[in-house]
Amino acid sequence: MTTRILTGITTTGTPHLGNYAGAIRPAIVASRAADADSFYFLADYHALIKCDDPARIQRSRLEIAATWLALGLDTDKATFYRQSDIPEIPELCWLLTCVAGKGLLNRAHAYKASVDKNVEQGEDPDAGVTMGLFSYPVLMAADILMFNAHKVPVGRDQIQHVEMARDIGQRFNHLFGAGKELFTLPEAVIEEEVATLPGLDGRKMSKSYDNTIPLFGTAKQLKDAIARIVTDSKLPGEAKDVDGSHLFTLYQAFASQAQQAEFRAELEGGLAWGEAKNRLCQLLENELGEARERYNALITRPADLEDILLAGAAKARKIATPFLGELREAVGLRSFREQVQATGGEKKKAAKSARFVSFRDEDGSFRFRLLDAAGEQLLLSKSFADGKAAGQASKALQSGAELDVRGEEQVFSVWLDGERIGESPAFADANALEAAIVRLREALTPQE
Ligand code: TRP
């Protein structure tokens, strides 16, 4: 079976060496595996959330496209496209928006960080927060679910978003799948092996620290950046602290075992830092020199890049267009030419509300379960000695009074008057747990 791997690159900056080692290089390697079906795209709609400088958006799209191609992404094998060339993505985004819980999105890190910062500064909590930022995870879910990706390689900061895509996809499946899995539920993949490169000052290489080494700058720019790498003040001839040196860490990310051992021995033998920087420069030149030539050639042919990306979009839409058709059907956006099923609507309605099911346990005690709209168990009560007590408890839960729900690791429990009266099944992780609490609250909100 092939594994569909999908990831997006936000087009707000120019790729640097850290992006190359941490994301681009491993992605291109992974795309070559025989059983891999890779989807890589420029997340340019996401870029608009973070950046309102049109010139920068456009430059970054071009640079990122040229970078991936120059580094050897094979567009016959992988599907490479711009998010904004796939109109099915924003359309799916809306369908997902209609099932994504606001409570779920309230907990997204990026949004929460903005709110926390505002509160700290005594501002309105939502000052400067756009709906784009708030809905960022829904658009990302659309990117992923549109192509039924199995694996989504991302940085740690994006794990939560992939889990939200899972939750939203699962919810959609329950509501509209009629027993069928419409969406594949994706998994985040964190490449533990992959180097997180230190920047010039030893902190993580990042544009926001201004400590990056350009990927396809001129040979001179590369040399100048490397000259700025901070080292200690050991003199030529003195043994260097190899493992405490981020210059060595940088070298390591691009060197063979043998090269690493040799460089280590030289540094311990007193190699001057200036000379060590020359070695790193040479190593990077060998790694990237040819790709830089290709990059420079590509960047001067934007029309060709346009054609390549449009071909990628056409390939992606061969999947997206029919699939979105299916999804529109599923939610009830159907052609009038088809006969409307008379009972369809009502059945849906009945299935849509949560329900309590009471039963007697083997030992004769009384219990109840609360099932959500999709029939999934949200809560199993404790054993009550008699049916009346069980009935009162389930009634109290539906009274609309403030619920006492307590999250405990993988389960949540529900309390009434200081007594633990029921608990949920175990959920896979904190996000699934929180999503279930949201569904519990929905289920217990009195309805007209
Ligand atoms: N949000 C991701 C990032 O900032 C980029 C992205 C957008 C993405 N859509 C995606 C990554 C879908 C994986 C899958 O890194």
Side-chain angles (χ1 to χ4, degrees), residues 6-10 41 43 46 50 136 140 143-144 152 154 158:
L6 175 145
T7 199
I9 311 105
T10 309
F41 67 96
H46 277 103
K50 298 182 184 163
Y136 186 108
M140 191 159 152
D143 293 332
I144 298 170
V152 183
V154 283
Q158 299 293 318

